[in-house]
Amino acid sequence: MSLLQQLRDESDFDQLPNDIPISATIADIEEKRGFIDYFKFAIEVKTRGGSKYLIYRRYREFLSLHQILDSKYTPEDSEKHGPNTCILPSLPGKVFIGNKKEIAESRIPELNVYMKRLLSLPTWFLLDEDLRIFFYQTDQDSQHQPQALRRLRPQTRKVKTVKPKMDLFSSPRAEAMFDFRGNGKAELNLKRGEVIFLLRRVNTDWLEGTANNQTGIFPQSFVKIIKPLPESDSEGEVGALTYSCLRCLLLTPSGVDTRDVCVQEDITIQPTYSDLLCHMRQVFQEDDIALNYRDPEGDLIRILDDEDVQLMIKESRRRDGKVKRPVNQYPWEVHVTRASDLSVYNTEG
């Protein structure tokens, strides 16, 4: 008799393997900034064997799990239950409009209730493969460094702290030589002549610093270093965020608007078509756009799906040695056009 059948017959909790999740609680939310910005839920999972670990899941992963479980176990007739059916708890629905952080925060209580009820279903249900995969700690989960875990911290008495005085003139700093307008929350706006206090080196071409009570990253080529960072900070911190630069060009009848956009992604990451389209809409503040790349002959090729994105990246890597780029810049460029403008394409045979 299989373990699944044995548990279904006896409903004996003690027979469950030690690695089966029995409870899960959201510890915090964490923002991920890249080709598309979103929030993940940091979840503390407890197993029957007593171990605890953290996993990180998006709402779309909750939704995918729920749809899979619903197709497996929800009875066609709610009044007639079979041996392989059960009533699943309700999952909070999609929200299409609003502040992403506020939406994620508001979902925490509902998702906690959802997970509690899900893991309280009959013991045989807890052996479902898709359920176990969802709560399984992947290598990426185990290597991730949590940011805060606010909801796991015990309440403590507020203690007044005294900030040590800082000698600003002994701090690593730079002077802005040109104006710089950031393309996202991660980038620091600069005005010519203002002083930026340096925090760390992100990579060969980008620094992180503070100016006018704002912190962000900026290209080193826009500033003059007055006092350099210590060598330990110049080589980048262990576990520091990875930033890469993507060149994108908006082609309009009046000319070409070129942007070098910083994204919090490794340069080896291949974005999805939908994420790339969403990001370009944010960069250029245009909705009715099409994404393109140039083939070896210089003609524009429209991107329509993930396979086209993959083809664009393969084509660019073949020509990578012919074009000199910064080490943190993607070898491919995105050419953005109006979706309705077909005159930009070479239609000659």
Side-chain angles (χ1 to χ4, degrees):
M1 181 184 296
S2 69
L3 180 58
L4 181 63
Q5 184 64 44
Q6 187 178 357
L7 287 170
R8 182 177 287 113
D9 293 344
E10 301 181 14
S11 297
D12 190 350
F13 179 82
D14 292 334
Q15 293 183 68
L16 285 173
N18 286 335
D19 62 349
I20 291 292
I22 58 171
S23 71
T25 305
I26 294 176
D28 207 349
I29 59 172
E30 294 189 2
E31 185 175 16
K32 175 70 169 63
R33 296 175 181 172
F35 289 103
I36 187 169
D37 298 345
Y38 59 86
F39 282 86
K40 277 194 171 185
F41 299 94
I43 305 168
E44 184 186 58
V45 179
K46 297 180 183 178
T47 66
R48 181 192 169 277
S51 62
K52 297 180 183 180
Y53 54 80
L54 290 171
I55 62 175
Y56 301 85
R57 301 291 183 267
R58 295 180 65 177
Y59 170 78
R60 67 164 59 172
E61 294 172 282
F62 277 96
L63 181 61
S64 176
L65 172 69
H66 186 80
Q67 292 171 338
I68 292 171
L69 296 178
D70 182 61
S71 66
K72 286 183 178 180
Y73 301 114
T74 299
E76 294 182 5
D77 187 344
S78 59
E79 297 181 358
K80 295 181 180 179
H81 292 248
N84 299 318
T85 63
C86 59
I87 302 299
L88 298 177
S90 299
L91 180 72
K94 287 184 176 182
V95 180
F96 296 97
I97 300 176
N99 180 279
K100 291 182 180 180
K101 183 176 182 180
E102 293 176 358
I103 293 172
E105 290 279 9
S106 67
R107 278 176 169 158
I108 292 177
E110 295 173 303
L111 289 177
N112 276 335
V113 171
Y114 175 77
M115 291 188 293
K116 180 179 179 180
R117 292 177 177 173
L118 196 67
L119 296 176
S120 298
L121 289 173
T123 48
W124 59 264
F125 176 83
L126 301 183
L127 287 175
D128 179 85
E129 183 180 359
D130 292 294
L131 183 72
R132 295 179 70 176
I133 289 174
F134 179 86
F135 287 106
Y136 176 75
Q137 188 185 43
T138 64
D139 290 341
Q140 188 175 5
D141 290 330
S142 62
Q143 293 168 9
H144 183 81
Q145 185 68 31
Q147 295 176 8
L149 304 182
R150 295 168 298 160
R151 292 172 177 264
L152 294 186
R153 289 182 174 179
Q155 293 185 352
T156 56
R157 180 172 58 89
K158 290 185 178 180
V159 179
K160 185 177 180 181
T161 58
V162 179
K163 294 183 179 180
K165 293 183 179 179
M166 180 185 295
D167 181 4
L168 297 180
F169 293 101
S170 65
S171 303
R173 60 194 187 279
E175 179 185 349
M177 303 301 292
F178 310 96
D179 291 347
F180 173 73
R181 182 167 63 89
N183 285 309
K185 297 178 182 179
E187 298 181 21
L188 182 66
N189 292 325
L190 303 178
K191 288 186 177 180
R192 181 180 178 183
E194 70 181 2
V195 174
I196 307 100
F197 293 97
L198 306 178
L199 300 176
R200 67 182 179 94
R201 175 175 293 283
V202 178
N203 54 39
T204 307
D205 303 295
W206 290 76
L207 297 166
E208 183 178 36
T210 300
N212 297 321
N213 295 321
Q214 300 293 323
T215 299
I217 65 172
F218 55 91
Q220 180 175 329
S221 58
F222 278 69
V223 303
K224 177 179 70 175
I225 303 297
I226 299 174
K227 182 172 182 180
L229 287 161
E231 288 188 14
S232 59
D233 294 327
S234 297
E235 296 175 359
E237 301 174 2
V238 176
L241 299 175
T242 299
Y243 294 92
S244 301
C245 184
L246 170 63
R247 173 155 292 183
C248 45
L249 307 93
L250 176 63
L251 281 62
T252 66
S254 58
V256 180
D257 181 3
T258 302
R259 306 279 184 93
D260 285 327
V261 180
C262 177
V263 291
Q264 189 179 308
E265 298 280 10
D266 187 85
I267 201 167
T268 60
I269 293 296
Q270 176 181 316
T272 64
Y273 168 73
S274 59
D275 287 353
L276 192 57
L277 178 62
C278 182
H279 196 62
M280 290 300 100
R281 284 172 172 166
Q282 293 176 353
V283 169
F284 293 109
Q285 294 297 299
E286 296 277 355
D287 290 329
D288 187 28
I289 60 173
L291 307 184
N292 310 268
Y293 69 94
R294 291 199 182 275
D295 65 11
E297 288 72 38
D299 295 328
L300 284 179
I301 306 296
R302 181 169 286 198
I303 302 170
L304 299 174
D305 52 31
D306 290 343
E307 290 184 0
D308 289 340
V309 174
Q310 186 177 12
L311 182 60
M312 170 186 69
I313 294 174
K314 285 183 178 179
E315 289 282 353
S316 64
R317 285 175 177 165
R318 289 174 189 162
R319 309 192 301 268
D320 193 23
K322 301 177 183 178
V323 182
K324 191 174 182 180
R325 305 178 188 274
V327 292
N328 69 319
Q329 184 172 339
Y330 285 96
W332 43 273
E333 298 176 347
V334 179
H335 296 261
V336 180
T337 59
R338 310 291 182 191
S340 57
D341 184 8
L342 303 180
S343 65
V344 297
Y345 302 107
N346 182 5
T347 56
E348 296 180 4

